[in-house]
Amino acid sequence: MSTSQAPRSRWSVRAPRAVDTWLNRPLASFHLIVTVAAMLTTLGVIMVLSASSVEAYAEDGSAYTMFTRQVIFAIVGVVAFVVALRLPIRVIRAWSFPLFVISVVLLVLVLIPGIGTVAQGTRGWFMIGGVGLQPSEISKVTFAVWGAHLLASRRAERADLKGLLIPLVPAAMVIFGLIVLQPDLGTTVALGIILMALLWFAGLPLKWFVSIVGGLAVAAGVLAMTAGYRSARITQWLDPGSDPQGAGYQSRQALYSLADGGVFGLGLGQSRAKWSYLPNAHNDFIFAIIGEELGLVGCVAVIGLFGLLVYTGLRIAARVPDPFMKILVATFTVWILAQAAINIGYVIGLLPVTGLQLPLVSAGGTSTAITLLVLGLLANISRHEPEAVAALASGHDGKVGRLLRLPVPQPYSPVEAQRARLQGRGAAGPVRAPARTADRPRAPRGGTGHADRQPRVAAQQPRATAPQPRAAAPRARGDRSDTRRVQPGAASGRRTAVPHDPRSPERRRRR
């Protein structure tokens, strides 16, 4: 029996035919991204209201203070999602480096007293009209986009190892240093993950990748042990019972909340830990409130949504033909996955507390808006899959596309990709464009101008002096071997057409 006809193992897992058929639709990736983004944002707004109502009422006399702020930033994020969905990819690449420079300038300004504001022990906020803006969240996106543009350009040029690492790694070191000065170890870890994802998907050799990962891990360990509160977190993680009322209090209360929830939870809004037992219940430890109110079922549902998002991101990265899109989508996917895994990991006690938020679920205005912007970019790139481009070009854009009047994406073209690289060469360094006919050196003008045609005439001399073939025999019916070839005339120098006979002496000599 052939391999193709071999029976499938009974332990093999296959998706239902209806699901398989739906996933084969041209715009399946786009609809998955939009659906997951909507579900996570809605869940986040509801859980922020439930987890923050007690603390907000105690501070401001209204249970809806933090909820209202979260809704405003969610609306801003939806607008950013739509804008990112409509942006042409060439515009994104052309503006990647200027936006990255602007984000670095913001990171410098936020460190200046009087401009930046200290919040939660970190000087990393701008307060504008009572609303906080965190430039480190912006730097994640700009660094990822510029890094993807840079590495895609270098891969097209077949750059060596130095071309892949410089200037990406030095620029990353500058951002790391500025964020460490705030100090914000969680954001530094997130940026390190983005850097590793960029280098991995750009094809960095394994030994260099492992060396850089090891160096970053050592640097993170040194930073974690230099500050008192960080070293206390590490100590408490290694020995959970060492300081139950101090550094380990928050982690212990989170575990109590998860245990109280059981399988189905206490019910939405019925959490006990949010009554000033669990600090930052609406932010870093909102997953514990989900486990307490919605139980194991709610926790599995949240993890399943993030898993579906990761599957969709890797699916898009595997389908789009543009190297820039591949690197960018894969990097964003790994970043969201890693941030969610770290947050859930320290809530359940598997990792030390780092302060990273659960994307789209935790309270955090800038983080929510930036994450929705990232998902808008993913949805935009999903429409550039070859099947999606063909379907959209034929008018099958779906309800979402007609509602938002989204432009039809253009098929991937190496020429357009080269043009995008040339437009952004200020960010990627000098780009070696293929030589065009107009750029090739020409013979100096003057004289008769026949010097450049002499080698061609010389190459034709053997054909001119070759013996002339005999008259062609009458062509038999159905014989197609009488294709015409051009032979230079003997006397006038004019080129005349003569019949071609494959049985001629000239043909036999050439064979």
Side-chain angles (χ1 to χ4, degrees):
M1 181 180 293
S2 62
T3 306
S4 59
Q5 298 177 353
R8 198 179 327 162
S9 173
R10 63 176 181 174
W11 302 108
S12 62
V13 178
R14 181 178 177 85
R17 179 169 297 181
V19 176
D20 193 22
T21 303
W22 188 87
L23 289 177
N24 289 329
R25 298 176 61 183
L27 295 176
S29 300
F30 172 75
H31 291 138
L32 282 174
I33 290 291
V34 174
T35 302
V36 173
M39 295 180 69
L40 285 176
T41 305
T42 303
L43 175 66
V45 169
I46 294 174
M47 294 309 304
V48 166
L49 173 61
S50 176
S52 66
S53 57
V54 175
E55 183 179 350
Y57 184 80
E59 293 181 356
D60 302 325
S62 174
Y64 302 98
T65 303
M66 297 182 185
F67 167 74
T68 303
R69 187 181 301 121
Q70 185 71 10
V71 169
I72 292 174
F73 274 99
I75 295 174
V76 174
V78 170
V79 174
F81 183 96
V82 176
V83 171
L85 192 55
R86 298 182 61 88
L87 281 177
I89 299 300
R90 56 179 179 81
V91 174
I92 296 174
R93 297 191 67 172
W95 283 89
S96 60
F97 184 67
L99 292 176
F100 173 71
V101 173
I102 293 174
S103 65
V104 174
V105 173
L106 292 177
L107 289 176
V108 175
L109 294 177
V110 80
L111 296 174
I112 301 176
I115 299 179
T117 303
V118 178
Q120 300 178 359
T122 301
R123 184 180 293 277
W125 302 81
F126 292 116
M127 298 303 297
I128 303 174
V131 178
L133 178 65
Q134 196 173 6
S136 59
E137 294 290 335
I138 301 175
S139 65
K140 295 178 185 179
V141 181
T142 58
F143 177 68
V145 175
W146 173 68
H149 166 69
L150 175 66
L151 294 176
S153 302
R154 295 297 169 85
R155 283 184 58 183
E157 301 168 11
R158 302 183 182 274
D160 55 1
L161 179 63
K162 181 180 178 181
L164 290 177
L165 297 180
I166 298 175
L168 182 66
V169 174
M173 294 299 107
V174 172
I175 300 180
F176 292 164
L178 293 174
I179 295 179
V180 167
L181 293 176
Q182 293 182 3
D184 189 351
L185 182 60
T187 304
T188 306
V189 171
L191 281 167
I193 293 172
I194 292 174
L195 174 62
M196 291 297 96
L198 286 171
L199 293 176
W200 174 262
F201 292 111
L204 185 70
L206 182 60
K207 62 178 182 179
W208 285 97
F209 180 81
V210 173
S211 301
I212 295 177
V213 169
L216 292 178
V218 171
V222 172
L223 291 174
M225 300 304 295
T226 52
Y229 71 96
R230 296 176 189 157
S231 59
R233 289 177 178 178
I234 299 296
T235 303
Q236 184 275 330
W237 173 62
L238 296 175
D239 187 7
S242 60
D243 191 7
Q245 297 298 322
Y249 176 79
Q250 194 175 22
S251 299
R252 183 176 291 268
Q253 292 297 321
L255 294 178
Y256 289 159
S257 300
L258 292 171
D260 288 342
V263 178
F264 299 102
L266 301 177
L268 189 62
Q270 302 301 316
S271 171
R272 303 187 186 101
K274 65 184 180 183
W275 292 82
S276 301
Y277 288 104
L278 178 61
N280 286 328
H282 61 287
N283 195 350
D284 297 343
F285 283 81
I286 197 169
F287 188 76
I289 304 300
I290 294 175
E292 185 179 8
E293 295 186 352
L294 304 180
L296 178 63
V297 175
C299 293
V300 171
V302 172
I303 295 174
L305 287 176
F306 281 105
L308 183 59
L309 179 62
V310 172
Y311 162 76
T312 308
L314 296 180
R315 167 191 167 102
I316 297 170
R319 287 172 172 248
V320 292
D322 191 347
F324 166 73
M325 298 182 190
K326 286 180 176 291
I327 297 176
L328 185 61
V329 171
T331 300
F332 279 151
T333 303
V334 170
W335 164 35
I336 294 176
L337 169 64
Q339 188 163 329
I342 291 174
N343 179 272
I344 296 174
Y346 69 68
V347 169
I348 64 179
L350 293 180
L351 296 174
V353 179
T354 57
L356 281 176
Q357 299 171 335
L358 190 61
L360 292 180
V361 181
S362 297
T366 308
S367 175
T368 300
I370 291 299
T371 306
L372 284 173
L373 173 68
V374 168
L375 294 182
L377 291 175
L378 294 185
N380 186 352
I381 295 175
S382 69
R383 291 166 54 86
H384 288 76
E385 296 179 3
E387 296 84 357
V389 172
L392 294 172
S394 60
H396 298 83
D397 51 354
K399 296 180 180 179
V400 178
R402 289 193 297 267
L403 178 63
L404 300 178
R405 297 182 179 180
L406 299 178
V408 178
Q410 298 296 326
Y412 172 71
S413 171
V415 177
E416 293 296 331
Q418 174 73 7
R419 185 177 303 172
R421 291 196 303 116
L422 293 175
Q423 289 178 354
R425 64 175 177 263
V431 177
R432 300 175 183 175
R436 298 175 298 179
T437 305
D439 297 333
R440 294 173 183 171
R442 299 179 178 178
R445 295 184 177 181
T448 60
H450 294 285
D452 57 339
R453 293 197 297 267
Q454 288 178 359
R456 184 177 301 176
V457 174
Q460 295 174 355
Q461 289 302 325
R463 296 180 59 185
T465 58
Q468 298 294 330
R470 293 177 298 178
R475 181 171 61 91
R477 179 176 299 178
D479 185 11
R480 299 183 179 179
S481 60
D482 62 337
T483 55
R484 303 284 179 173
R485 62 188 177 92
V486 179
Q487 181 73 13
S492 61
R494 297 170 58 185
R495 304 174 70 86
T496 59
V498 298
H500 172 64
D501 186 3
R503 295 171 295 180
S504 63
E506 180 184 3
R507 182 71 174 179
R508 288 198 296 268
R509 282 196 300 273
R510 288 184 180 179
R511 290 182 178 180

